[in-house]
Amino acid sequence: MLRHSRTLALLLAATLFSSLSLAGPAFENTAIVRSVELGGSLVHLSTTYAIKALEPGQTVYHIALGKDEREKTSWIEAKVKGQMKPLAITELGEDETSTAHLLAVTFPKTLAINGTVNLVLETIQTHSTHPHPERASQSDPQLLKYNTDLFILSPYTTLVQRTKLKSPSPNIISYSTPEGVDGFVRDGSVTKSGPSITYGPYHNVGPSVNLEFLSKYQQPISVHYNFDHPVLEITNLERSAEISHWGSNLNIEDKINLHNAGPILKGHFSRLEHQSQNFFRRLSPHILSDLTLHLPPGVTNVYFNDLNGNVSTSHLRPAPSVPKASKTHQYSILEMRPRYPLLGGWNYSFTLGFDTPLQDSVSWDATEEKYIVGVPVMTYIPGSVVDEAKVKIILPEGATDIEFISPFPALSSTISTHITYLDTTGRPAVSLTYKDLTERHAAMIFVSYKVPFAAHMKKPVAVGGAFLSFFLFGITARRINLRLHK
């Protein structure tokens, strides 16, 4: 996970990187191997750096990403191969020549001279594919195109590097053949084997972030392939999570705008053709007919509606409630079918809501005398990317000393007041906004707060006062005579 803990040492490395590391490289890449899992809205990349230290006492390694690659990348995580704990990553921004985006990775221990380590960089790219052709009829296959750069950038010399792109289908329409790289290859520049395209291995690649190398050797490559699943985007997600201590309940409601980013439908939609494809189980891959979502265990009062009202074409298989401390990974399964099939270029807006027992999400910190509640950022829709998301967590009325921790950096965060029925002064609400979320972002936001005893009594006092006022008004009204006398 990308971490923004900027220490003094890393800031110094960011300042002196271009003047020191490029002049006298402290590392050498004995090998760089990149694996690209092609998909729809999401493309997963795994890059392994076999690193050798050329100087003693090295703790910080620099990774270079192309500017276009960094803009597409929504998730970054670095680990030592074979270890589970992520390493600290610091964004250094663009180098002085603006040819690459630099990241600083801190090793868990110092490397001695000639010391080696295998570093694995996991990234997820969003919006990096596009339909080609852009329009398709109802029965046409769905073809996507993915573009990237040939060479993996690095500020250090690389003895050998290779990039392997794997399609989910062996039906690959076309792929690029590099030119002008004969000085780096020994056998062939590109090979195809089933659903995989391999570029390289390329040998003795010098530091590739300088303008001379990029202008002479770097070049775009593309793969045109068949994709048999809908390309889904959630253009806007608004999640509201309301915490109720009196009801011991956590209510979550999502307002979702779903978009099929596959090829736009060419011609008119035929219901007869769609029913025929559905009957023979030959539904076109770019048509979304149903969704399967994983909801928390113990959910109740699940509702699914759109602009026309309740949608009854859904089925819930609930799992029993699981205590917060339990390590059991259980979930409820919701099978939902939209009101109409979602074809390429079409949109569908709906609302999904449910209740969960508060004791499954809340814990008590006796030291600080505070409640700690975990609220999931989103309910992930398989294969989708969330373009924009806003999460609003509504706390009990009278909550104080509010603190929150996001599992990854938010674009913005605010604390406001939310007023609803039976409230007196309103409830504090924490709002966070995000962009380009993937399945790796489906984590927990933790909010801690205090609720004094007087705040707990606000609602019953308000309800009691309202009923008392009503009865006093009724008693008084019975004693007032508004009839006209002769």
Side-chain angles (χ1 to χ4, degrees), residues 198-215:
T198 302
Y199 288 89
Y202 300 115
H203 301 270
N204 299 322
V205 181
S208 52
V209 295
N210 59 77
L211 288 173
E212 181 182 358
F213 180 92
L214 293 175
S215 60

Side-chain angles (χ1 to χ4, degrees), residues 110 153 157 173 184 202 229 244 300 315 360 379 389 411:
T110 303
L153 300 185
T157 298
I173 310 303
F184 300 108
Y202 300 115
H229 304 280
S244 173
T300 56
H315 177 66
D360 292 354
T379 298
L411 295 179

Side-chain angles (χ1 to χ4, degrees), residues 91-110:
E91 295 267 2
L92 302 182
E94 296 181 0
D95 64 355
E96 59 181 3
T97 59
S98 298
T99 59
H101 189 95
L102 303 176
L103 307 174
V105 180
T106 305
F107 293 135
K109 60 181 181 179
T110 303

Side-chain angles (χ1 to χ4, degrees), residues 1 29 32-33 83 157 173 179 206 215 222 226 231-232 281 284 311 341 366 371 377 403 406 426 428 453 474 483:
M1 189 180 84
N29 301 315
I32 300 180
V33 179
Q83 298 183 8
T157 298
I173 310 303
E179 299 178 353
S215 60
S222 63
N226 187 80
V231 182
L232 299 181
R281 301 182 183 275
S284 297
V311 184
Y371 296 98
V377 173
E403 296 178 345
S406 176
F453 178 77
R483 291 180 297 175

Side-chain angles (χ1 to χ4, degrees), residues 368-406:
E368 299 289 336
E369 296 185 345
K370 300 178 73 173
Y371 296 98
I372 301 175
V373 177
V375 177
V377 173
M378 62 178 178
T379 298
Y380 181 66
I381 295 179
S384 68
V385 56
V386 181
D387 296 342
E388 296 180 1
K390 181 178 181 181
V391 182
K392 187 175 184 179
I393 304 173
I394 304 171
L395 305 176
E397 190 173 20
T400 61
D401 296 339
I402 301 170
E403 296 178 345
F404 57 89
I405 299 176
S406 176

Side-chain angles (χ1 to χ4, degrees), residues 399-447:
T400 61
D401 296 339
I402 301 170
E403 296 178 345
F404 57 89
I405 299 176
S406 176
F408 44 87
L411 295 179
S412 64
S413 58
T414 58
I415 298 179
S416 58
T417 301
H418 179 85
I419 300 177
T420 184
Y421 63 93
L422 297 180
D423 285 343
T424 54
T425 58
R427 311 181 189 186
V430 177
S431 299
L432 301 101
T433 57
Y434 301 100
K435 180 182 178 182
D436 292 338
L437 302 183
T438 68
E439 74 265 24
R440 299 297 295 272
H441 294 92
M444 290 285 184
I445 302 172
F446 290 98
V447 183

